[in-house]
């Protein structure tokens, strides 16, 4: 790759404080010992050469210091352009722990208090103020700021870090910020990638939504790319594949996790013996696997080594402690982590990495209407980044718990989230931005049309977008809530239902002051449920009410964070809900006793009406049918077993016992009453009469359905219209054979088909499609009779077919296609015509050979166009010969037939001269 040319006023060896003594940040002090310090002059020249709205892509491996050095450099540039104003630089990090860690490290290097010149804002936590120059945020925070302030007027520059991870929100920011730059003209934008895919992002930053390229440092084309060499020290690689499978139908196998734990314990003991300052980092795909391996390690390594977990379910304090490095006097450490530590964090002291080679990625199952996380082999890029964590601060070692063949077969990069995720939240953001479906935005990858269409349909059902695809007032309110739009609606509607305004309608049995007194607590319930569903905690046995109870009790490790989030959501619900009006459809009358698990089910059902589920009767494992039509199993031993109705918060694809043969398993749910199920999913209620045509008669049943779930079914008499529709559907699906062809009807159809084939118009087309297209012309009265309840046994299609006969040509039907043929013996033999649609078939006469003696001319049908084919039969009516040339048969093959048959059938005539013999249907002894 060719890097951006270096302007003459910014040589690569320029001192890193070349921006002047008045610059806010001392880059020389901050950048001491960081590899990216060597690239600061180049990046400064590139951005300065473009003016206030400069754009660039930084391509630098993890550990080079780009996250630490680029923000203060950009702040210095922005301050030089802003004069007396204090510019703010916003830096996105894909994870909260990374945003906190990056801000803390930069504040330490700047020798200032965190939250003063350098701060951060993540969901539920803020350490920043009016004097903050550099603010680290998660992408979701910046997206909501953009919706509230599309011009980002108080922001001088945005730096998007870790764009190579292809997170959905970061991809959206790339498109939205490109438009903001077009409108403002003074917004600096830098994208930073840790892998070699910078040209993709450079093209995006250098191209406006209409396709016109902006001016880069070289006068046009993509945004400049600034490279930085790797900071890696020598790295040793070892391969220790497990003798057992890594994955089975239920996920990561326990035996493989035990192998990872044992490998980490043994290898770390060896590493500590060589250097007691070394820490280890173990990579696993998810929180459950991290906890399992951490538990095994605690039992294996003893008290001299501290085992720390790093994943989304541990507290922020525990996360910060895991990534902050070992302090003097601290014990040796093994950090067991998910992908959190892969690229956006540098964990000090790590010189040994143990990699399971697995990652968790979102996948969307369009057929089942499910989106969830699946465990897959990590990409080759991820494997390299994980390995590199061991060689940031010195010689390191990576141990891969898989073989080289597995790595070679892995994808080059992680699948972009936009290609595999549920897009409901993204669709709402785009609708609020004014670009429904992403129309007109320059995104790294266009969203899949089917997934985006499904997402927009969900938003329409929520009332979040109008027919034009733009956000409604409710949609704009939902976009301000940092949760899936479905959970946002459940928060607003559930808070109103369970709070003061409509508490009297929920059947709680309280009124007046009692209702008001209970309102606040019940209002918080909706926020508590949404916080639990949106969080990372797993509901044991899929029992969501038990999880909420554990979180309330404070016994769950995530209780404090959950309580903070619930309080924040409750405040949002009060602030947002007060400005949003709900129709009677949004606010159903429900009977949900206070203090019951069914209240939790109500909130879940309001969020996911398509996941309201009813138990499927029968023996064996518990199975449920969702309103969406998906069937799913319930984990064995779940406390929810036996409940007739459930509100499902999470359902995932799965095999094994828990899936109960359905291919899916319920991961989180709460019980419902039948009334609450119908009320929460009222828009899916259907009361209709369904008529069907089968077994020769129209029958009808009145069906009450909740989506795919049948509530009741009673027999009724079909209306004429419903009956006609049922008959029409049956004929379309199964053809006219549904009514049945009598022998006479089939024979007439075949005769007419031959004439149409040979003579064309006016003889009617007898093919199935042609007859079905003209039902009203020939079958109208019979269809009305069937629709009214008549049985097919009383209908013969021969008479209706005659309505299609063309007059006066129909008078020649018997001549052109006779039903019978008189043979020399005097017998009248039925002609077997080819089936309708048989383009090459011949009319056949099957007759005893003796009945045709003396016949020297083959009859012709259809006005002389088609010769009859004779199947000449033995006295036992077995075929002896097939011919359409009787004269040739008598003159040749007959002699051989006579020689073979006269001894077998001596009572029947086998004359030497068939030309002069008398044709007969009798034996020799009968005169």
């Amino acid at each position: 790759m060719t890097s951006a040319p270096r302007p003459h006023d910014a040589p690569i060896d320029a001192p890193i404080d070349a921006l002047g003594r008045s610059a806010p940040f001392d880059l020389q002090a901050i950048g001491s010992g960081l590899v990216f310090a060597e690239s600061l002059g180049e990046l400064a020249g590139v951005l300065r050469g473009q003016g206030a709205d400069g754009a660039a892509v930084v391509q630098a491996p993890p550990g080079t210091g780009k996250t630490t050095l680029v923000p203060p450099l950009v702040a210095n540039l922005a301050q030089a352009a802003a004069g007396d104003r204090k510019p703010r630089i916003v830096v996105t990090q894909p994870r909260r722990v990374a945003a906190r860690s990056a801000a803390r490290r930069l504040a330490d290097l700047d020798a200032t208090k965190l939250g003063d010149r350098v701060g951060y804002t993540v969901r539920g936590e803020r350490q920043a103020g009016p004097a903050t120059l550099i603010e680290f945020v998660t992408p979701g925070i910046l997206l909501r700021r953009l919706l509230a302030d599309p011009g980002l007027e108080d922001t001088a520059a945005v730096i998007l870090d870790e764009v190579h991870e292809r997170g959905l929100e970061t991809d959206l920011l790339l498109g939205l910020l490109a438009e903001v730059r077009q409108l403002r003209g003074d917004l600096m934008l830098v994208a930073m990638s840790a892998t070699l895919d910078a040209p993709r992002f450079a093209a995006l930053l250098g191209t406006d939504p209409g396709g016109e390229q902006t001016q880069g440092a070289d006068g046009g084309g993509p945004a400049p790319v600034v490279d930085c060499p790797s900071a890696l020290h020598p790295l040793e690689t070892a391969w220790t594949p497990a003798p057992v499978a890594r994955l089975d139908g239920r996920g990561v196998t326990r035996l493989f996790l035990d192998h990872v734990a044992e490998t980490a314990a043994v290898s770390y003991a060896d590493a500590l013996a060589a250097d007691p300052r070394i820490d280890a980092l173990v990579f696993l795909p998810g929180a459950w696997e991290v906890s399992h391996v951490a538990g095994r390690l605690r039992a294996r390594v003893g008290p001299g080594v501290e085992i720390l977990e790093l994943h989304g379910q541990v507290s922020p304090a525990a996360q910060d402690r895991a990534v902050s490095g070992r302090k003097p006097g601290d014990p040796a450490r093994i950090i067991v982590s998910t992908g959190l530590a892969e690229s956006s964090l540098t964990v000090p002291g790590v010189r040994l990495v143990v990699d399971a080679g697995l990652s968790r990625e979102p996948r969307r199952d369009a057929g089942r209407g499910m989106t969830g996380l699946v465990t897959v082999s990590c990409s080759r890029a991820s494997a390299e980044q994980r390995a590199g964590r061991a060689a940031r601060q010195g010689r390191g070692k990576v141990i891969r718990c898989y073989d080289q063949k597995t790595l070679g077969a892995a994808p080059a990069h992680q699948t972009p989230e936009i290609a595999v995720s549920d897009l409901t939240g993204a669709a709402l953001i785009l609708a609020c931005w004014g670009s429904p479906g992403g129309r007109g935005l320059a995104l790294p990858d266009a969203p899949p049309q089917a997934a985006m269409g499904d997402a927009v349909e969900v938003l329409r059902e929520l009332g979040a977008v109008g027919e034009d695809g733009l956000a409604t007032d409710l949609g704009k309110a939902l976009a301000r809530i940092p949760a899936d739009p479905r959970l946002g609606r459940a928060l607003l509607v559930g808070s109103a239902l369970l709070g003061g305004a409509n508490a009297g309608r929920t059947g709680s049995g309280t009124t007046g002051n009692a209702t008001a007194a209970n309102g606040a607590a019940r209002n918080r319930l909706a926020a508590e449920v949404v916080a639990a569903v949106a969080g990372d905690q797993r509901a044991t046995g899929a029992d969501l009410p038990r999880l909420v109870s554990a979180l309330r009790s404070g016994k769950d490790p995530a209780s404090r964070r959950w309580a903070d989030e619930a309080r924040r959501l409750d405040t949002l619900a009060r602030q947002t809900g007060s400005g949003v009006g709900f129709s009677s459809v949004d606010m159903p009358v429900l009977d949900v006793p206070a203090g019951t698990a069914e209240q939790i089910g109500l909130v879940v059902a309001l969020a996911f009406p398509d996941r309201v589920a009813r138990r499927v009767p029968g023996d064996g494992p518990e199975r449920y049918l969702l309103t969406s039509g998906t069937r799913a199993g319930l984990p064995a031993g779940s406390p929810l077993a036996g409940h007739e109705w459930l509100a499902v918060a999470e359902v995932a694809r799965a095999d094994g016992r828990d899936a109960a043969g359905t291919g899916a398993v319920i991961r989180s749910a709460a019980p419902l009453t039948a009334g609450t199920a119908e009320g929460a999913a009222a828009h899916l209620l259907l009361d209709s009469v369904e008529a069907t045509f089968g077994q020769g008669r129209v029958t009808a049943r009145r069906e009450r359905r909740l989506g795919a779930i049948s509530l009741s079914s009673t027999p009724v008499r079909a209306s004429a219209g419903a009956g006609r529709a049922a008959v029409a559907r049956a004929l379309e699906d199964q053809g006219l054979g549904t009514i049945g062809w009598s022998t006479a009807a089939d024979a007439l159809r075949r005769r007419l088909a031959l004439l149409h084939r040979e003579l064309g118009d006016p003889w009617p087309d007898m093919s199935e499609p042609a007859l079905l297209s003209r039902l009203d012309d020939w079958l109208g009265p019979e269809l009305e009779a069937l629709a009214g309840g008549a049985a097919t046994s009383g209908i013969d299609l021969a008479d209706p077919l005659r309505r299609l006969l063309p007059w006066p040509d129909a008078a020649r039907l018997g001549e052109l296609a006779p039903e019978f043929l008189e043979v020399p013996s005097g017998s009248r033999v039925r002609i077997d015509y080819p089936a309708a649609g048989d383009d090459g078939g011949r009319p056949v006469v099957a007759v005893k050979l003796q009945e045709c003696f003396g016949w020297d001319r083959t009859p012709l049908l259809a006005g002389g166009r088609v010769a009859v084919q004779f199947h000449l039969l033995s006295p036992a009516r077995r075929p002896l010969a097939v011919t359409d040339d009787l004269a040739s048969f008598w003159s040749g093959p007959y002699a051989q037939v006579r020689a073979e048959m006269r001894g077998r059938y001596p009572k029947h005539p086998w004359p030497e001269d068939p030309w002069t013999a008398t044709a007969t249907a009798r034996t020799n002894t009968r005169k």
Side-chain angles (χ1 to χ4, degrees), residues 98-108 114 118-120 134-136:
R100 289 194 304 266
S101 177
R104 185 176 293 107
R105 173 172 170 76
L106 182 54
D108 287 344
L114 180 64
V118 179
Y120 68 87
I134 297 175
E135 182 185 18
F136 289 85

Side-chain angles (χ1 to χ4, degrees), residues 136-452:
F136 289 85
V137 303
T138 51
I141 296 291
L142 184 54
L143 278 173
R144 284 170 179 83
R145 285 186 187 174
L146 270 171
L147 296 183
D149 176 19
L152 287 181
E153 300 300 335
D154 295 331
T155 302
V158 174
I159 301 171
L160 301 177
D161 203 359
E162 312 296 350
V163 294
H164 63 277
E165 292 191 8
R166 299 304 309 279
L168 177 56
E169 292 179 324
T170 301
D171 276 6
L172 292 178
L173 282 173
L174 280 165
L176 269 57
L177 289 169
E179 283 199 351
V180 175
R181 289 185 66 232
Q182 294 296 313
L183 297 173
R184 272 187 50 175
D186 64 346
L187 178 68
M188 195 176 298
L189 182 58
V190 177
M192 300 201 293
S193 173
T195 59
L196 300 177
D197 54 358
R200 170 193 291 269
F201 304 108
L204 283 172
L205 298 192
T207 304
D208 69 20
E212 297 179 2
Q213 291 192 324
T214 58
Q215 295 296 307
D218 59 353
V225 176
V226 175
D227 287 313
C228 177
S230 172
L232 287 182
H233 294 273
L235 178 67
E236 177 188 353
T237 301
W239 306 84
T240 60
V244 296
R246 293 193 298 173
L247 299 171
D248 61 15
R250 303 181 66 181
V252 185
T253 64
R254 291 176 182 266
L255 290 177
F256 174 70
L257 294 177
D258 293 344
H259 169 76
V260 173
E262 182 65 18
T263 300
V266 171
S267 59
Y268 189 52
D270 294 341
L272 275 181
D275 186 349
R277 297 169 299 173
I278 288 178
D279 287 341
L281 179 59
V282 181
F283 281 104
L284 291 157
W288 180 86
E289 291 84 0
V290 165
S291 296
H292 181 90
V293 170
R296 288 286 191 272
L297 285 171
R298 291 187 185 102
R300 177 71 168 76
V301 300
V305 177
E306 185 178 20
I307 309 299
L308 298 175
E309 297 183 28
L310 180 57
H311 53 78
Q313 294 183 22
V314 300
S315 68
Q319 291 177 347
D320 294 342
R321 184 163 178 269
V323 301
S324 60
R326 195 197 305 184
K327 294 180 174 57
D330 284 350
R333 309 188 317 162
I334 299 177
I335 300 102
V336 188
S337 175
T338 61
L340 278 175
E342 186 174 300
S343 65
S344 56
L345 290 169
T346 294
V347 184
V350 169
R351 303 274 292 280
L352 172 67
V353 166
V354 178
D355 182 17
L358 298 171
S359 65
R360 211 144 270 156
E361 297 183 5
R363 288 292 185 273
R364 176 176 177 271
D365 186 338
R368 295 176 180 265
M370 298 185 304
T371 297
L373 296 175
V374 298
T375 305
V376 297
S377 291
C378 70
S379 68
R380 297 196 298 275
S382 291
E384 291 305 312
Q385 290 182 63
R386 294 177 182 185
R389 289 299 174 194
R392 296 288 175 255
Q393 298 171 306
R395 179 182 295 273
K397 181 177 183 179
V398 58
I399 300 177
R400 290 174 168 149
C401 297
Y402 49 97
D403 56 26
Q404 292 169 285
K405 182 179 179 182
T406 299
L407 180 63
H413 298 282
Q414 183 174 342
T415 306
E417 281 190 6
I418 199 170
V420 293
S421 292
D422 180 285
L423 298 181
T424 307
L428 180 58
I429 289 171
L430 294 171
C432 291
W433 187 254
S435 300
R439 193 164 55 240
L441 281 182
L443 297 171
D445 285 295
Q449 290 186 359
M452 182 58 72

Side-chain angles (χ1 to χ4, degrees), residues 41 247 470 509 542 690 873:
L247 299 171
L470 298 175
E690 297 185 11
L873 308 178

Side-chain angles (χ1 to χ4, degrees), residues 509-564:
T510 60
T511 57
N513 293 334
T515 295
N518 290 332
R522 300 178 69 193
N523 190 306
R524 282 197 300 273
L525 176 62
E528 290 175 342
V529 174
V530 170
V533 173
D536 299 320
Q537 297 77 32
R538 168 96 27 120
T540 304
D543 190 349
L544 180 59
R546 177 175 291 186
L547 172 61
V548 172
S549 178
L551 291 168
R552 283 175 178 163
S553 70
K555 297 177 181 178
D556 192 285
S559 290
R560 181 175 178 181
R561 188 169 49 141
W562 166 82
D564 291 342

Side-chain angles (χ1 to χ4, degrees), residues 795-889:
I795 296 176
D796 186 342
L797 293 179
D799 289 336
L801 274 182
R802 290 190 177 92
R803 296 178 186 134
L804 292 175
L805 290 174
W807 295 97
D809 301 79
R812 300 184 60 206
L813 175 62
E815 170 194 341
L816 297 173
E819 190 173 357
F820 298 93
L821 181 67
E822 186 171 342
V823 297
S825 68
S827 299
R828 284 168 50 83
V829 182
R830 184 179 297 276
I831 302 175
D832 185 11
Y833 286 88
D838 186 345
D839 293 335
R842 304 276 292 279
V844 172
V845 170
V847 62
K848 286 175 57 177
L849 180 147
Q850 285 81 1
E851 295 195 58
C852 297
F853 289 152
W855 208 352
D856 62 349
R857 186 176 302 173
T858 302
L860 300 175
L861 306 181
R865 288 176 172 78
V866 181
V868 172
Q869 187 178 76
F870 283 90
H871 289 193
L872 300 176
L873 308 178
S874 71
R877 304 200 67 81
R878 294 189 179 92
L880 296 176
V882 176
T883 182
D884 60 3
D885 186 350
L886 288 172
S888 296
F889 174 74

Side-chain angles (χ1 to χ4, degrees), residues 689-693 698-700 716-730 776 783-789:
V689 173
E690 297 185 11
T692 58
F693 182 71
V698 169
T699 57
V716 295
R717 182 178 178 83
S719 66
R724 281 192 294 270
V727 173
R729 286 194 302 271
D776 291 341
L783 291 179
E784 288 298 320
L786 291 172

